[in-house]
Amino acid sequence: MTIYLKNTLSGKKEEFKPLQEGVVKMYHCGPTVYSRAHIGNLRAYVFADTLRRMFLFAGFQVKQVINITDVGHLTDDADEGEDKVEKEAKKQKLKASEIAQKYTKIFLQDLKKLNVDVDFIEFPKASEYIDAQIAMILTLQEKGYTYQTKDGIYFDTSKFKKYGKLGQIDKEGLKEGARIGKNKEKKNPTDFALWKFSKKGEKRQQEWNSPWGVGFPGWHIECSSMIRALLGSQIDIHTGGIEHIPVHHNNEIAQSECATGKEFVKYWLHIEHLLVDGKKMSKSLGNIITLDDVIEKGFTPDDLRMLYLGAHYSKQLNFTWNSLEASARSLERLRNLLSPLASIKEKQELNEEALNQIQEAIFDDVNTPALLSVLWDTAKNKEMSPAQKLAAVNVFSELLGIDFLKQTRKKQKIEIESLPKDIQELIEKRQKARKEKNYNLADKLRKQINQKGYTIVDYGDKQEIYQK
């Protein structure tokens, strides 16, 4: 059966045809490790994992890379500001390498909790591919695509006529917009740094010698050079958040295709934003949510993965604690329906009808909501034998990355009035803090309640309490 993917480059669903028969090469834009990934970031990697599972199910060999940005990503996408990792290192009074190591470790732990197979994936660090980045810049320089300013080596986007082709970006609009930076030496507002010089009198923790002087790579060049080093000059699939389309991914295309003279990526897939209560996650709004926050509230990583899978990757997903609770209850109901199958010893192959239904759903642009619908139909199907049903459920578990045969322990809701006095007081204080929008205090009180053995879940203005 044919796999279809909606290619951001064309804006249409296209039949998937790999560059190399039987092999899929995929690259996914990874985290900048100056802080921990939040649940919006993690959605992209659950999608990458689901994509891999689909291709393995279809019989392909998969090569998969997620980069770790530990140098070169500045606080301003227009190549200005401080290096995010070095800035955080100063703040925490640690080495840049220690900051990168700390948050890389947490990132990988979060992926494992979400059942992403990290052993299957390569995680190259930008700082370990400096020579590859310098080599690609030299190639671009030899071909006449670069120029030098006081602060670095820049790519001249006017020399790549197809610049902005991903997402049909309006170059004139960019010129008039907010991307115009402080560097007046740039020939074009869309030009971007390939190599930045270390500032005089300022000793960076991460800097290297280069043909142009001491400095560090720009943010965009790392992806192109690591893809080339690990996967080759051309790859099948490149994914990332939709925020990468206007700048980062168009810059990758420009530098890669100018360096190699070949089409860089066949299929671009972009993940939509995850909102929190209809708003973008930000520190200023105090609505950043991590996987630890989810777990501390009594939910499991499987509950969160179920929430992700319930929406198509190309659609915005609005996270609320109510929606997570609904996903958790949905998963619990499914497991209660399916758990008796775990005791079946008889083995049976997946029948053709069930196989076709699964393929029609997942091969249609990784349509996980449709696949979950097929799973529900299978769970309720009284005509399938238990052995047939088990064969199908094993495939669903493998494709969606959730063990649907796992037994779940039901949470016992507790009336607040029956709780010990000190817990009641903490709950009342937290409710007051939430009404006053003092979310930092509310979060601290929630953690205190959690440490005493109780989980608190918010439903609008109301709260429910469960024994852990």
Side-chain angles (χ1 to χ4, degrees):
M1 190 173 283
T2 304
I3 294 173
Y4 290 93
L5 299 173
K6 187 171 182 182
N7 193 346
T8 308
L9 196 60
S10 66
K12 300 175 182 177
K13 279 188 187 178
E14 298 176 8
E15 180 181 344
F16 176 74
K17 294 179 180 178
L19 292 162
Q20 180 183 343
E21 188 175 350
V23 179
V24 181
K25 296 179 181 179
M26 298 195 295
Y27 182 89
H28 317 280
C29 277
T32 301
V33 285
Y34 71 103
S35 65
R36 74 173 300 164
H38 55 63
I39 60 171
N41 304 136
L42 294 173
R43 183 189 186 193
Y45 307 111
V46 168
F47 168 67
D49 180 64
T50 308
L51 199 59
R52 174 187 64 81
R53 290 169 181 272
M54 180 191 74
F55 281 118
L56 290 178
F57 172 66
F60 288 92
Q61 178 188 349
V62 181
K63 296 179 180 178
Q64 190 171 34
V65 175
I66 296 176
N67 68 299
I68 301 293
T69 301
D70 58 355
V71 67
H73 194 170
L74 305 185
T75 51
D76 184 337
D77 280 347
D79 302 313
E80 303 288 346
E82 290 185 74
D83 184 297
K84 291 184 176 184
V85 174
E86 296 224 359
K87 181 180 179 181
E88 189 62 25
K90 291 176 188 174
K91 182 179 175 182
Q92 295 193 30
K93 297 181 181 178
L94 293 171
K95 294 179 181 177
S97 59
E98 291 173 329
I99 288 292
Q101 186 177 15
K102 172 183 176 180
Y103 290 113
T104 300
K105 183 179 179 181
I106 294 172
F107 173 65
L108 295 177
Q109 288 173 341
D110 283 351
L111 294 191
K112 288 178 183 177
K113 290 173 185 174
L114 285 162
N115 205 22
V116 174
D117 188 354
V118 299
D119 295 330
F120 190 93
I121 306 165
E122 287 192 72
F123 293 93
K125 298 175 182 176
S127 62
E128 294 175 352
Y129 284 80
I130 300 300
D131 289 345
Q133 293 174 72
I134 289 174
M136 182 170 268
I137 298 168
L138 282 171
T139 297
L140 291 168
Q141 181 176 281
E142 290 164 6
K143 291 187 173 185
Y145 290 106
T146 70
Y147 62 91
Q148 184 169 329
T149 70
K150 290 178 183 177
D151 74 338
I153 305 299
Y154 282 77
F155 183 93
D156 188 343
T157 55
S158 68
K159 294 189 175 182
F160 181 59
K161 301 306 178 187
K162 294 180 181 179
Y163 186 83
K165 66 179 180 177
L166 184 68
Q168 292 78 51
I169 299 302
D170 176 12
K171 284 190 281 187
E172 292 304 314
L174 285 178
K175 288 178 183 179
E176 296 169 4
R179 285 206 62 225
I180 297 176
K182 300 172 185 176
N183 188 348
K184 302 302 180 184
E185 291 183 84
K186 284 169 66 171
K187 294 181 179 180
N188 310 285
T190 51
D191 293 352
F192 56 92
L194 298 166
W195 187 265
K196 293 280 283 185
F197 302 138
S198 295
K199 293 179 181 178
K200 290 180 181 179
E202 180 182 273
K203 177 65 178 173
R204 284 175 53 89
Q205 291 189 45
Q206 298 186 100
E207 58 183 10
W208 295 266
N209 290 319
S210 78
W212 314 281
V214 176
F216 57 97
W219 174 37
H220 315 291
I221 195 68
E222 69 171 271
C223 290
S224 291
S225 58
M226 289 193 289
I227 286 171
R228 194 175 183 184
L230 295 169
L231 298 173
S233 299
Q234 295 176 289
I235 62 172
D236 296 289
I237 294 171
H238 195 315
T239 76
I242 59 165
E243 69 276 7
H244 292 321
I245 296 173
V247 181
H248 184 49
H249 286 169
N250 271 300
N251 290 354
E252 278 190 62
I253 290 171
Q255 64 199 7
S256 296
E257 297 191 359
C258 288
T260 66
K262 300 174 183 178
E263 182 185 35
F264 178 39
V265 176
K266 279 195 74 175
Y267 306 92
W268 288 89
L269 308 179
H270 287 91
I271 301 93
E272 255 287 3
H273 288 136
L274 180 141
L275 306 177
V276 175
D277 292 319
K279 298 174 183 176
K280 188 176 178 180
M281 270 191 278
S282 70
K283 289 182 180 179
S284 61
L285 290 174
N287 64 352
I288 296 291
I289 298 171
T290 67
L291 185 57
D292 279 357
D293 294 328
V294 167
I295 294 169
E296 284 179 9
K297 277 185 173 275
F299 296 100
T300 70
D302 281 352
D303 296 333
L304 181 60
R305 184 161 183 140
M306 189 75 171
L307 180 70
Y308 291 149
L309 296 170
H312 193 267
Y313 75 89
S314 66
K315 304 295 183 185
Q316 279 192 352
L317 175 58
N318 185 37
F319 175 94
T320 66
W321 292 110
N322 285 355
S323 65
L324 183 58
E325 177 66 21
S327 290
R329 288 176 179 172
S330 178
L331 178 56
E332 185 178 353
R333 288 197 299 273
L334 263 175
R335 282 174 165 164
N336 288 337
L337 279 170
L338 299 170
S339 59
L341 301 176
S343 62
I344 295 171
K345 303 299 181 185
E346 180 187 350
K347 288 189 177 180
Q348 191 164 333
E349 294 293 319
L350 187 66
N351 67 46
E352 188 175 349
E353 183 182 355
L355 175 61
N356 287 338
Q357 288 178 336
I358 290 170
Q359 289 177 333
E360 283 177 10
I362 197 66
F363 290 173
D364 181 17
D365 195 26
V366 203
N367 195 337
T368 54
L371 190 60
L372 282 171
S373 179
V374 177
L375 171 56
W376 274 106
D377 290 342
T378 302
K380 296 174 182 177
N381 192 328
K382 294 179 180 179
E383 295 180 4
M384 291 178 76
S385 71
Q388 287 177 331
K389 202 173 279 193
L390 177 61
V393 171
N394 285 335
V395 173
F396 286 114
S397 291
E398 188 55 42
L399 274 172
L400 296 169
I402 295 174
D403 182 357
F404 291 106
L405 298 178
K406 183 178 178 181
Q407 293 283 349
T408 56
R409 182 173 64 85
K410 291 185 178 180
K411 294 187 294 183
Q412 185 63 45
K413 182 181 171 183
I414 301 171
E415 295 300 324
I416 294 176
E417 295 77 16
S418 66
L419 290 166
K421 206 78 172 173
D422 61 327
I423 305 297
Q424 289 188 44
E425 289 174 0
L426 288 172
I427 291 169
E428 287 172 9
K429 286 180 182 177
R430 183 174 180 275
Q431 184 75 321
K432 186 172 182 288
R434 290 182 73 237
K435 284 181 179 178
E436 294 172 353
K437 296 186 178 180
N438 187 346
Y439 298 116
N440 287 333
L441 176 58
D443 196 49
K444 288 177 183 177
L445 291 167
R446 175 178 59 79
K447 288 178 180 177
Q448 288 181 40
I449 295 165
N450 192 267
Q451 287 165 3
K452 291 180 179 288
Y454 298 92
T455 298
I456 189 163
V457 179
D458 300 313
Y459 294 96
D461 294 334
K462 297 179 180 179
Q463 301 174 97
E464 288 187 0
I465 313 298
Y466 298 91
Q467 184 89 43
K468 287 180 70 178

